[in-house]
Amino acid sequence: EPGAASSVVQAAANMLGGLDGLVNNAGGMLGRIASTDMPPGHFDEVVNLNARSVWEATVAAHPFLKAAGGYVINTSSVAARTGGGAGAVLYAATKSFVSSLTRGHAKEFVRDGIRVNAVAPGLIQTPFHDKYTPPELLAQQTASVPMGREGTPEECVGAFLFLASPALSGYITGQIIEVRNAKEATIDFWGVRKLVRLDNLTERAVAGDYVIDHGGYAVRVIPTRDVADTQLLFDVIKGFDARDPY
């Protein structure tokens, strides 16, 4: 409900005598529903839970965090970047709000000594999927993960601890750490622009080109300085995925 997050923050600050940090972790899908099938009130419920709560809690915590030189860690999702799966468009949109708010508040609050970052989990084994993701859909999603399994909540903890520690991340703000298996790897090839044809590789590539699209992986060329020997590129590609011999 509007105002609920602010009340929780104020109560916590009163009980603890202030706040060192704020973790905005509340959120949910509240059902996989297509945009055109959404019942009255569902939009407001999801937005209030995933977006309004983050806004209200952060604003309420701001004076305490300013006094402490504290931090905010928001829980976003990889869905913020991908647009979400079937029936999850609204959920993904609210998480995009969280990611954008993270970057905006980082710039706005830096003068107050407050760091603002986010953790964006990928496919994580939680009651979220038990409740909202059909087994067949979960199986498809899991099959697309290079490690072949869902992550666990415990495997997300490190990212939160890292961002909460001024010793480890005191110079980091406005960043979103994704806890996931990457389907796409960006590798610096130091300026390699021409490729000799090898299996499904193209003959030429420039900055931003995808030079591999094989087995669910893609590699992008990012020129930074000239390198004549394209064998370097092939050596990197061959070692990129041990399951694929090239």
Side-chain angles (χ1 to χ4, degrees), residues 48-91:
N48 285 344
L49 175 61
N50 294 339
R52 183 187 292 274
S53 67
V54 176
W55 179 276
E56 289 187 353
T58 303
V59 171
H62 178 270
F64 304 105
L65 299 177
K66 181 178 179 180
Y71 62 86
V72 176
I73 304 174
N74 296 321
T75 301
S76 183
S77 169
V78 296
R81 183 169 52 76
T82 65
V89 172
L90 179 57
Y91 170 80

Side-chain angles (χ1 to χ4, degrees), residues 28-115:
M29 189 178 296
L30 304 184
R32 284 188 179 272
I33 305 173
S35 301
T36 53
D37 296 332
M38 202 166 290
H42 183 78
F43 178 91
D44 289 338
E45 290 176 357
V46 175
V47 170
N48 285 344
L49 175 61
N50 294 339
R52 183 187 292 274
S53 67
V54 176
W55 179 276
E56 289 187 353
T58 303
V59 171
H62 178 270
F64 304 105
L65 299 177
K66 181 178 179 180
Y71 62 86
V72 176
I73 304 174
N74 296 321
T75 301
S76 183
S77 169
V78 296
R81 183 169 52 76
T82 65
V89 172
L90 179 57
Y91 170 80
T94 58
K95 289 302 184 178
S96 294
F97 172 91
V98 173
S99 292
S100 182
L101 188 68
T102 299
R103 298 184 179 101
H105 275 169
K107 292 185 288 185
E108 190 171 311
F109 296 166
V110 68
R111 65 177 68 96
D112 299 322
I114 302 171
R115 297 179 299 110

